[in-house]
Every structure is written in structure tokens, then in C-alpha cells.
Amino acid sequence: KAGVTQTPRYLIKTRGQQVTLSCSPISGHRSVSWYQQTPGQGLQFLFEYFSETQRNKGNFPGRFSGRQFSNSRSEMNVSTLELGDSALYLCASSLQELGTDTQYFGPGTRLTVL
Amino acid sequence: AQSVTQLGSHVSVSEGALVLLRCNYSSSVPPYLFWYVQYPNQGLQLLLKYTSAATLVKGINGFEAEFKKSETSFHLTKPSAHMSDAAEYFCAVRHNQAGTALIFGKGTTLSVSS
């Protein structure tokens, strides 16, 4: 079974632009979560989707948004990019939305903002 | 709010020595706790998880962790380190009582010398 895939793997943008990242979960998984990883702040939870509905949200500004499609694929969007948005963005999928479920992580999208 | 503290951002051991990575948690709901490992330029891989069953949890690659409620701890151990264990290790607690989102510690980099 294929793992979580994220596209693109690398991205370079300039300040003020917007960006869309894509995540395809493991087949059959219905929950998708997004995380931001930076050297200074570590791994921070962005949001979680289940059955096209946002179930949980982390403490990020409204410039960060996401959505989930009926096939469980998810996208996250960052508008008006800032230098501090440079990070590795990780997507994780799980079978359901139970707290006991294991999250399986993709390889991440490395975003660089110049 | 849930939080995780990993004591020691960097731990160095010799090959064959005991590995001990420390994690303390704070949770307002019954905690579900996880240990993940991240190799360079890769996503996170689950080592083991505690979901209120047995307090001693065995994971992959010879790792185990013990949940101690009285100490609010979930330390990760391995009796004998291998060179291949060199990586970054993250302890995590579930975000809240619903969903699979996780709150991560800052991580501990494990170095193994021959």
C-alpha cells in the first residue's frame, strides 16, 4: 500500500506570494493533519480534517488555511507569505479520527520564502 | 492545554550502551502518548504508542517506553544502541479528546558513536 504522498517536495516563493501544498493520504484513510516544522519552533500542529470537515485547529494566523476533498486528499494554502513561513510542512493521515489511531507521515514539502 | 517536555535536546551514547530519552507530559484529558523518530530528510515514523492499555509499551527496533502517571513521564529506552539509531526523536501527546492531532515536544537528537 502506498504511503502518504506530498507534492511538491520543494518549493521556493517570494514574500507576499501565496502557495498551495497537496497531500494524498494512504488509501482508505479519512483523517488528514498538517504540521509545520522549523528549527526554532519544532513541530507545530496546523489543522486536522476528517470527512471534509476541519475538526481541530492549531494556533496559526488566518493566512494558513486548508481543505479536504471527498476522496480524502487535502490541500493547505498559505497566503501573503512571510520569511518566517519557511519550513518543512508535514502531512499525516490516519484511518479514522480516534485519538488512539496512528498518524502516518509523508516526507514533507520544504518551503523556502525569499 | 496539552504539552510535552523533552529533557535534553541532544543525547550521545556509545554503540551498545543504554539509550534513555526523557519525556514528561501535561494533559487535561487522559493522555495518549507517542514516540516518533525522524531520519534526515524524511518524515516521521511511529516507534510506539500508549493508549491506556499496558503501561509498558514495546515498539519497533527494540525500543520500549513506560507510562508513569505519578511522574507524568513516558521515557523511551533501548538496552543496546546501534549506529542506525542515530536520528531525532519526538515525544507527542494527543491534542485533545477528539481527533488524532498531536502536540510534539521539541525533539531529542540521538548520536551514537562507535
Side-chain angles (χ1 to χ4, degrees):
Chain A
K1 193 181 268 192
V4 177
T5 57
Q6 293 185 245
T7 56
R9 291 293 311 278
Y10 302 91
L11 206 49
I12 299 175
K13 293 286 188 178
T14 56
R15 277 182 302 174
Q17 287 187 310
Q18 75 165 18
V19 67
T20 299
L21 311 182
S22 181
C23 171
S24 293
I26 292 171
S27 177
H29 284 196
R30 297 170 62 194
S31 175
V32 173
S33 295
W34 289 89
Y35 297 85
Q36 180 196 65
Q37 186 176 23
T38 60
Q41 298 299 317
L43 276 157
Q44 293 185 284
F45 167 65
L46 280 156
F47 25 67
E48 177 184 10
Y49 288 88
F50 180 78
S51 292
E52 303 178 65
T53 302
Q54 187 178 91
R55 296 304 180 106
N56 284 302
K57 190 177 190 303
N59 191 25
F60 277 80
R63 299 186 298 107
F64 292 82
S65 62
R67 59 178 175 168
Q68 186 181 32
F69 303 96
S70 58
N71 61 358
S72 294
R73 191 178 69 84
S74 177
E75 289 181 345
M76 68 163 282
N77 184 79
V78 187
S79 62
T80 320
L81 283 166
E82 300 176 359
L83 295 178
D85 297 333
S86 294
L88 180 67
Y89 290 88
L90 292 164
C91 167
S93 76
S94 58
L95 193 61
Q96 298 286 348
E97 57 169 351
L98 302 175
T100 53
D101 286 342
T102 296
Q103 290 202 315
Y104 295 87
F105 283 79
T109 293
R110 174 78 60 186
L111 172 64
T112 301
V113 182
L114 303 175
Chain B
Q2 279 61 256
S3 67
V4 168
T5 302
Q6 291 185 241
L7 300 173
S9 59
H10 199 129
V11 170
S12 297
V13 300
S14 300
E15 196 172 21
L18 172 72
V19 175
L20 171 61
L21 304 182
R22 299 177 187 276
C23 172
N24 288 89
Y25 70 91
S26 173
S27 180
S28 57
V29 299
Y32 293 161
L33 296 157
F34 304 77
W35 274 100
Y36 279 85
V37 61
Q38 186 177 34
Y39 298 99
N41 300 314
Q42 294 187 27
L44 280 73
Q45 180 184 13
L46 179 72
L47 283 173
L48 49 82
K49 63 181 179 181
Y50 166 78
T51 57
S52 75
T55 56
L56 182 62
V57 182
K58 295 187 183 299
I60 62 171
N61 301 338
F63 285 94
E64 65 180 39
E66 186 172 9
F67 171 72
K68 292 187 176 181
K69 185 177 179 180
S70 61
E71 299 176 10
T72 61
S73 69
F74 190 57
H75 302 328
L76 182 71
T77 60
K78 182 174 180 177
S80 177
H82 295 159
M83 297 292 287
S84 60
D85 294 328
E88 190 159 19
Y89 292 79
F90 294 93
C91 181
V93 65
R94 62 170 170 166
H95 176 63
N96 56 31
Q97 201 144 13
T100 60
L102 298 173
I103 303 301
F104 284 89
K106 294 290 189 184
T108 298
T109 299
L110 176 66
S111 299
V112 182
S113 59
S114 57

